[in-house]
Every structure is written in C-alpha cells, then in structure tokens.
Amino acid sequence: MPADAAIDALLEGLNPPQRDAVVHGEGPLLILAGAGSGKTRVLTHRIAYLLRTGQAKPSEILAITFTNKAASEMRERVELLVGRATRAMWVMTFHAACARMLRADAHRLGYTRQFTIYDSADQRRLIKKCLDDLDVDVKRFTPRAMQSQISDAKNKLRSPEDYRQLVGSFFEQTVADVYDLYERELHRSNAMDFDDLLVRSVNLLEMFQEVRDRYSAAFRWIMVDEYQDTNHVQYRWLQLLTGDHRNLAVVGDDAQSIYGFRGADIKNILNFEDDYPDAHVVKLEQNYRSTQTILDAANAVISNNRGQMTKHLWTDVGEGDPVRVREMADEHAESRFVTAEVNRLVDEGVSRAEIAIFYRTNAQSRVLEDMLVRAGVGYQIIGGTKFYERAEIKDAVNYLTFLVNPQDGTAFTRIANSPRRGLGQTSMSRVLAHAASMGMTVWDAAIDDIPGLATAARKSLERFMSTMTRLKERVEGGAPVAQLLQELLEETGYKEALEAERTIEAQGRLENLEELVRVTQEYDANNPEGNIGEFLQQIALLADADTIRDDEGLVTLMTLHNAKGLEFPIVFIIGMEDGTFPHSRSIEEGNIDEERRLAYVGLTRAMRDLTLTYARRRGAFGGSMGGPTIRSRFLDEIPRDLTDQRQRLSAGFPAPGRVASWAGAAQASAEVAGDTDGSVFRIGEDVVHSKLGEGVVTGLEPGGIVVVRFAGDGSERKLMADYAPLKRR
DNA sequence: CGAAATTGGGTTTTT
DNA sequence: CCCAATTTCG
C-alpha cells in the first residue's frame, strides 16, 4: 500500500473502479470504459502510479492511441503528473510506433531507413499501374475494389501466397495477381503503405528473435486505448510484444467499435478474457460528461444491438433538457436552422468553440458550409479535403521524397513534369522501364543514358536531374528541411510557374506552400537532430483529427467517425434519415449494428445540449437526384419522453394516447412549413446583395423568404434566403 | 507531346 | 457536384 503522499494524491478524486484500474499491477487488465467515464484520466494516473511506486521505469512504458492528438494529449497529462520522465516513454499511435521500429530495423527486411510511406492515394496510383501492367480491365475491376481487398488481406496478415490459396472466383484470382505484383512493386520502390507499417513490424518481430526480445524486454508495460478498434495485425503485434511479461492493459468500449470497415475486429475486446483467463476486469460506468437524458437516449439506442458487454451509463449531474428533434423541409432548411441556432446560442453568450455539428458523410458539409459562410459564422472543418492531399503540397512532398528515396518511382512520376518540362507519359515510362530492366534505382536510371528517348526529352530530363542532384548534395550535407524545401521550390521552377499563372487559385496554392514551409520550420526547431526522411514519415502519419484547433471563435464540423473521443457542450447531428444515417450501404450489407454504435458515439459526445435534425427531402449529386426520405430508425429508438417532440410530425396527428399541446402543434407545423424563426437573417439586420448592394432586412416570411429594403434604389424585395446571393454585413 | 474539352462515373466512414 | 479518364485539337 502506498505510504507516500504523492501516491495518495494520484488516487484522490478517483471513483472505486477507476482506482482499481490504476493500482492494478502485473498481469493483463481489461478496462471497459463507457463513454465519458474518465478513461484518459485512468490511463494517465495508472502510468504515473506505476512510475511513482517504482514498479516501472519511464522507458518501459508503451502507450498506444489511435490519433496523434490523443497521444499528445495523453503525453501532456502524464507530464503534469510526473514531469520530465515522460520524455523516455513511447506514447504514440500504432502506426508511429511501427514506423519508429522500422526505421531502426527495416534494413533486415530489405528496406532502407528512408522508406516512403504511401497514403491511400499513392497506394491506389500504384495499384492502378499494376492493373495496367497486367492488362486488367479497370472498368470491371476498379483500383478501389482491389485496394480494399488487398488492405483487407493485409489486415488479416495474409500474404499474396496465402491469399492465392483461398481464391474462389475469377475476381479473387485477379486480386491475387494484382496483390502479388503490387507487393513487389512496393518493395522495389522502398515504400510501405499504411497497412505495411503494421505487417512489416510483425514480420520483423516474428522473423528476428533478437529484435523481438529487445522490444518485449524494453516495453514491460503496455497500454492500449480504443482497443475495440484494433484489427488482427495490431492484435498480433501486441501479442508478440507482451508474450513474455503479459503486462497488457487495454481500454475500450465495445459499444464504440466503429471501424469494422477498416478491419477492426470487435472480437479482440469481446474475447479478451478468453485470451487471458486471469485478466482483471474493471468496468467504468459512471459518466462525467453528459446529462442523464442524453445518456438514457444513448443507452436506449445501443440496447437494440445484440451480443454486447452489458454496461449501463449513469451520471449524477442531473436530468438536463430533452433531446431536441427537428424535421426540416430539405437540407437547405436544415442548414439554415442549424446556423440560426448557432447564432442564437452565441447571442446568449455561448462560445462557438462549445458547439459541434456532426454528419455521416463528408459530402453533407457543403450545404452547411455555404450557409455558415453566408451568415458570417466562423467554423473549422475536420476532414474532407485535407491539407496534405492538395496537389501542390503532394508535389512538394514528393520532391522531398524523391530526394531521400531514389527508388520511389511514384514520386518521380509525380514531380518529373510538374512544373511542365516537356516530360510526358512516354518519357517517364521509358525511365521506369529502364530502371526495372537494368535493376537500378529510378534516380540512377534517370541520369543514365536511356535508349530510345527523344532528344528534347533527353535534354529536359538532364536539366531536371542536374537540379535534383544539386539539391541532393545539400540533403546529404544535412541542410535543414525548411531551407531545402524553399530552395527546391525556387530552383525547380515550381514557384515561378505558379507565380506566372497570376490567378487567384495559384495564389492560394502559393499560400499553401508557405504554410508547408512553416510546418517544416516548426519541425526543424523541434527536432535539431531531425532529417527529411523522418519529417516525411511524421507527416505521412497525421490524421484529420490531429488538426483540431481550440479556437474560441470557431464552430467545429466533422463526420461522426472523427468525433470519437471528443466532447462538446452543444452538439447537432444532421441528416438523421434512413439511407443517410444509417447509411444505405450499411443497410444493404446488413451492417446496422456498426451504424448504431456510430449513433451511440455521436449522442454521447454531447454534454448538455443535443439536437437531431432530419430533412423530408434530400438532394444528391448537386440536386439532380434525391427524393422523399424516411426519418432515421435510430430516432425512433429514442424514447419519446426524452425528446421535445410530442407527436409524430409525419403523421400530422397527435400520437395515440398522448395529448399534444396546441403550442407544440403550432411549433411543429411552423417547422414543417420551413420554420419562420429558423432564418439565418433577422429583422433589422444589415445585409449585402452581390447585385443589389447594401440593404436592411425588414421582414421574414415562411419558406425561407427574407424581405430586404435596398439602400441603392430604396426598393423592397422578397428574396429566397437559400438562393439569393445575400450576406450579413 | 501536351493542354483543353468532353464525358462518364461515383460518394461511407479513415489510421 | 466533382473527379478522373478519354478524346480532340494545336
């Protein structure tokens, strides 16, 4: 028992099960942590406790999370408890930990430590090339389908040979061929895709006893967050590392398993006690985040799933307000309603940073964004088109990649003719073919005498490669990343080409590149011993969730998937319709349970205020498609008395056995009609119309119509708020 | 050989 | 609507 006062302090303020998990010593530990039950607190205190009691040394701690953001948050919170000792611990994502192991030992598997990490776009491009090389019809077998099959195989630790054994159709036969070639091409390029990071690490640990001994001895204490989202490779990786000491503590919630499509296997957590019969099991069921009403709603929804670990969240913060459910005419009315609500809340003194809006698919954000921009509401959006996926950023990154990884043909193909240098498809294929046939790196092939290359292309390639060679010398001289990037953008003519365009778009691209330079400067400052290869590997592993800012002035928009692990005082979930959420694909595949868990995740993000909206009609593909919708089955799984919706709006009559108040009915019909009070604009507000100039709002009418008196000619006009080019001033 | 124009195809979720 | 791939034109 702890005698030390510092140790007592670590346990203070923890509830009994939390304390139980923190003080558990050697041996397997399963922490079933319901949403908002303080699991990060438990993990950080457990680490601190192990250190303080002298059971563990900092360098023996390996703490795994799913996002870098979660990792840095954990690191910061541990640091508050134990200080500098944190630096010796590995607190990072699965992928980052694997990349780090591989940098040290990849040579054993025939890679250099400068191996490139391919994101899924790179991966798809290479798969496409393999399909072409094998003369496969990409109309029949799309690269996307191949990619998901290959990724799936890798997550199950199936090699191309393993896969070939199981082939049962022509499709799978094709996949086997592509998979086989793809793997060889990847290796020849000295590159790994995301899945490879895990797979190759497992290979390393399985094939080299001394490597395995080294790591399993080093990491005597292993902790894993979000264990319900681990897949088979990750499971195997953990097995290999914990085999000797069995000090594995996992935290998770089977009700929040939402990554099945990515190979996550919920059985990993469900069967933990079979894997470790002596496992100590702790359940955290007290929720410190939400009101009882929100929890009851979430519990009710998730109870429709079978075969879960029983758990019942409760709180002592009180009942709170009912869940608000709103029917809107279409997605425009929905956006208008949410935007107006945000404004109303802000007027009441709520900070925008306290508000989040969730949706099922990224495409749903567009209409909402339009409306928020129009209303002048600041927002940040997580996901969608990501910074590192922008063409100019990928180009710059691929320049750096080719400088450190001369084998990377994908990087070469991307940059050789960007900016235009007169090196087309044909010339590039010549270079790649030459490299392949001579067994040399792409770089060496590009500076070699290539037979059959046109004179113009030859000249151009020579010029390009001499610039690259000059840059490479500076890389080898240990130039800082930022300096190299800047020189590269100048000397390759990339910047010049963009400047010559003189378009607003090009201007934006230049600004993005400046942003990238800032990122490299920051990297240089934080990593005096760093190098390009490490920088590239680091940015390759960034996730969307890592870009969330704590900005007072911004409402946060994101998919439900990205919302996991976060909390907000006020939450809106839009698009609560069957087909959107649950998604039609999931309905077809009979995969409703995972969608329901996603709903559970979404609902439990809200601390005090939760609003769910659905639209009677929803357009798709820019308005050409889409029709009447059916409200989400998940809405109907929430007991009516937890919501403020007193009758079924779609029926148009009060529900049997329940008396609807007049006010409720009036309010309901107003919403159905297009909600008069939900307008983005308000009477008396100054607005600007792109054609008619400045004016003031003099009236609001049902159907989203605003009446505006314009200053220019004094005329008063009725405008459709959704379609008129009208903005708040 | 490269750039512009056209057409056709597709939307789940992502480390 | 937005992209990528193909066709067409210079």
Side-chain angles (χ1 to χ4, degrees):
Chain A
M1 271 289 103
D4 193 9
I7 294 174
D8 284 341
L10 278 177
L11 301 178
E12 209 152 298
L14 298 177
N15 66 35
Q18 286 179 334
R19 191 176 297 213
D20 185 11
V22 168
V23 303
H24 173 78
E26 302 250 341
L29 171 66
L30 169 62
I31 305 169
L32 294 169
S37 61
K39 61 169 184 162
T40 307
R41 196 175 150 87
V42 167
L43 273 176
T44 53
H45 282 244
R46 176 173 161 78
I47 292 170
Y49 185 87
L50 289 170
L51 296 176
R52 276 288 161 79
T53 54
Q55 295 179 82
K57 285 188 288 188
S59 65
E60 293 174 342
I61 305 274
L62 172 64
I64 296 293
T65 62
F66 268 80
T67 64
N68 293 290
K69 182 168 196 284
S72 35
E73 190 186 324
M74 188 178 302
R75 185 178 284 279
E76 279 160 29
R77 287 174 64 173
V78 174
E79 196 156 357
L80 289 176
L81 298 173
V82 302
R84 298 281 291 278
T86 319
R87 308 179 64 148
M89 309 181 334
W90 280 34
V91 184
M92 53 185 82
T93 63
F94 270 111
H95 295 266
C98 288
R100 194 156 160 189
M101 282 172 55
L102 287 165
R103 270 182 79 77
D105 285 295
H107 62 274
R108 294 172 190 261
L109 299 172
Y111 299 83
T112 75
R113 55 188 291 117
Q114 307 291 351
F115 65 88
T116 308
I117 298 173
Y118 280 3
D119 67 15
S120 48
D122 301 328
Q123 190 184 11
R124 194 147 58 237
R125 187 173 299 126
L126 186 57
I127 289 174
K128 169 73 168 44
K129 183 177 173 291
C130 293
L131 287 167
D132 290 342
D133 288 352
L134 290 170
D135 272 326
V136 174
D137 180 7
V138 290
K139 289 257 156 58
R140 259 179 56 146
F141 301 120
T142 64
R144 190 178 281 275
M146 292 289 144
Q147 185 180 26
S148 93
Q149 288 292 310
I150 291 171
S151 177
D152 195 53
K154 289 191 178 191
N155 287 155
K156 290 178 176 144
L157 277 173
R158 286 189 185 139
S159 67
E161 298 75 53
D162 297 337
Y163 189 94
R164 197 176 291 282
Q165 299 296 312
L166 301 165
V167 160
S169 66
F170 181 59
F171 173 71
E172 287 173 358
Q173 181 59 52
T174 312
V175 174
D177 295 341
V178 175
Y179 183 18
D180 191 44
L181 181 60
Y182 170 70
E183 287 289 89
R184 291 202 312 258
E185 288 288 314
L186 259 188
H187 195 254
R188 211 162 59 82
S189 305
N190 189 27
M192 299 194 202
D193 59 28
F194 281 138
D195 303 317
D196 271 349
L197 293 172
L198 271 306
V199 175
R200 305 272 89 109
S201 296
V202 166
N203 293 159
L204 197 62
L205 295 169
E206 283 181 336
M207 291 165 66
F208 302 96
Q209 185 69 41
E210 71 266 33
V211 175
R212 182 175 160 189
D213 289 345
R214 193 166 83 228
Y215 283 109
S216 65
F219 298 127
R220 292 232 328 125
W221 300 91
I222 299 182
M223 271 148 275
V224 186
D225 194 11
E226 308 280 12
Y227 189 69
Q228 76 281 352
D229 287 325
T230 52
N231 61 30
H232 183 254
V233 210
Q234 291 163 336
Y235 172 83
R236 179 74 188 133
W237 190 80
L238 288 170
Q239 258 190 347
L240 288 163
L241 289 178
T242 53
D244 296 332
H245 51 71
R246 302 173 83 250
N247 292 329
L248 174 64
V250 304
V251 188
D253 180 1
D254 56 306
Q256 294 185 62
S257 167
I258 56 174
Y259 285 110
F261 67 91
R262 197 166 84 188
D265 191 349
I266 194 170
K267 289 200 205 78
N268 287 345
I269 193 162
L270 295 177
N271 298 345
F272 190 83
E273 290 173 84
D274 297 333
D275 291 339
Y276 301 97
D278 58 331
H280 186 58
V281 182
V282 177
K283 273 190 195 180
L284 305 179
E285 299 180 288
Q286 181 175 359
N287 172 292
Y288 295 95
R289 178 187 294 156
S290 312
T291 64
Q292 190 64 52
T293 302
I294 290 168
L295 294 183
D296 287 345
N299 281 331
V301 170
I302 199 68
S303 70
N304 290 282
N305 274 5
R306 296 303 182 111
Q308 25 161 15
M309 298 173 131
T310 50
K311 216 172 333 86
H312 197 85
L313 287 183
W314 62 278
T315 179
D316 59 12
V317 308
E319 188 181 350
D321 292 333
V323 176
R324 298 195 301 163
V325 178
R326 290 290 180 276
E327 180 183 86
M328 297 294 150
D330 57 21
E331 69 270 32
H332 299 283
E334 183 179 57
S335 299
R336 187 150 27 86
F337 169 75
V338 174
T339 304
E341 283 296 294
V342 169
N343 276 332
R344 181 181 65 77
L345 289 159
V346 171
D347 285 349
E348 286 173 9
V350 172
S351 161
R352 287 189 189 125
E354 294 177 80
I355 306 172
I357 308 168
F358 305 148
Y359 34 80
R360 178 63 177 83
T361 64
N362 282 305
Q364 287 171 263
S365 72
R366 190 156 284 131
V367 179
L368 190 57
E369 283 185 79
D370 279 353
M371 201 62 70
L372 290 168
V373 167
R374 200 101 69 84
V377 177
Y379 66 90
Q380 63 175 328
I381 185 157
I382 310 305
T385 344
K386 293 153 232 166
F387 182 69
Y388 289 99
E389 281 176 15
R390 291 167 194 273
E392 64 278 14
I393 301 300
K394 286 229 84 165
D395 286 343
V397 166
N398 276 285
Y399 267 104
L400 292 172
T401 302
F402 192 47
L403 284 172
V404 297
N405 182 4
Q407 289 167 253
D408 194 333
T410 310
F412 171 79
T413 324
R414 168 128 208 156
I415 60 173
N417 199 36
S418 176
R420 314 261 115 91
R421 303 188 172 89
L423 288 170
Q425 195 62 57
T426 331
S427 308
M428 286 195 259
S429 302
R430 285 257 154 73
V431 177
L432 294 184
H434 187 63
S437 66
M438 302 296 286
M440 46 172 59
T441 66
V442 177
W443 184 292
D444 288 342
I447 54 178
D448 201 29
D449 194 29
I450 299 169
L453 204 62
T455 326
R458 193 178 292 247
K459 268 235 161 64
S460 182
L461 181 63
E462 201 181 297
R463 223 180 96 105
F464 169 60
M465 287 308 292
S466 87
T467 308
M468 294 299 284
T469 306
R470 211 162 58 236
L471 289 164
K472 196 184 176 78
E473 279 161 15
R474 286 177 225 163
V475 174
E476 276 150 12
V481 186
Q483 189 195 326
L484 217 106
L485 174 61
Q486 280 168 309
E487 289 173 355
L488 175 166
L489 291 172
E490 295 288 346
E491 293 175 30
T492 59
Y494 197 94
K495 208 167 161 187
E496 199 182 356
L498 277 177
E499 279 160 355
E501 275 189 45
R502 303 207 165 280
T503 60
I504 296 181
E505 206 179 38
Q507 189 55 42
R509 287 170 191 265
L510 285 165
E511 281 164 20
N512 286 333
L513 288 169
E514 276 165 33
E515 179 62 31
L516 183 66
V517 170
R518 273 193 290 279
V519 173
T520 55
Q521 283 165 341
E522 201 171 307
Y523 171 83
D524 288 333
N526 293 333
N527 303 276
E529 301 293 309
N531 59 61
I532 295 181
E534 196 197 56
F535 168 74
L536 291 171
Q537 290 181 5
Q538 205 173 85
I539 61 168
L541 298 176
L542 286 178
D544 292 332
D546 300 331
T547 65
I548 298 178
R549 288 186 289 161
D550 282 329
D551 188 321
E552 278 299 290
L554 303 179
V555 173
T556 305
L557 274 60
M558 65 179 100
T559 61
L560 286 151
H561 281 86
N562 268 317
K564 197 173 62 147
L566 304 176
E567 61 180 21
F568 295 89
I570 296 156
V571 166
F572 293 86
I573 304 179
I574 65 170
M576 295 293 296
E577 301 124 36
D578 263 34
T580 298
F581 186 36
H583 194 271
S584 51
R585 285 280 283 269
S586 303
I587 298 173
E588 285 161 25
E589 289 164 14
N591 203 8
I592 298 294
D593 282 6
E594 182 152 313
E595 294 285 300
R596 192 174 276 113
R597 292 193 290 267
L598 191 57
Y600 178 80
V601 167
L603 300 175
T604 52
R605 298 309 96 192
M607 295 163 80
R608 62 164 195 264
D609 223 49
L610 178 61
T611 305
L612 311 174
T613 66
Y614 63 101
R616 278 180 303 151
R617 298 183 61 83
R618 184 171 296 275
F621 295 119
S624 58
M625 283 186 214
T629 59
I630 299 170
R631 55 183 251 153
S632 174
R633 63 194 71 188
F634 301 148
L635 282 177
D636 297 315
E637 291 171 4
I638 301 174
R640 193 61 50 84
D641 58 352
L642 296 176
T643 74
D644 67 346
Q645 199 181 31
R646 301 299 174 206
Q647 75 279 320
R648 289 204 65 128
L649 296 173
S650 48
F653 293 102
R658 207 176 256 288
V659 181
S661 74
W662 218 97
Q667 185 198 12
S669 58
E671 277 149 15
V672 173
D675 71 293
T676 44
D677 69 340
S679 175
V680 169
F681 302 102
R682 270 170 278 192
I683 292 174
E685 199 160 50
D686 292 325
V687 291
V688 182
H689 188 283
S690 64
K691 286 226 172 60
L692 302 163
E694 298 183 354
V696 60
V697 177
T698 55
L700 297 171
E701 292 178 15
I705 290 170
V706 278
V707 190
V708 180
R709 179 177 299 284
F710 286 97
D713 55 359
S715 67
E716 196 169 75
R717 295 170 192 247
K718 290 184 179 181
L719 303 162
M720 295 287 284
D722 286 350
Y723 306 106
L726 202 63
K727 270 183 141 172
R728 290 166 102 193
R729 190 137 57 85

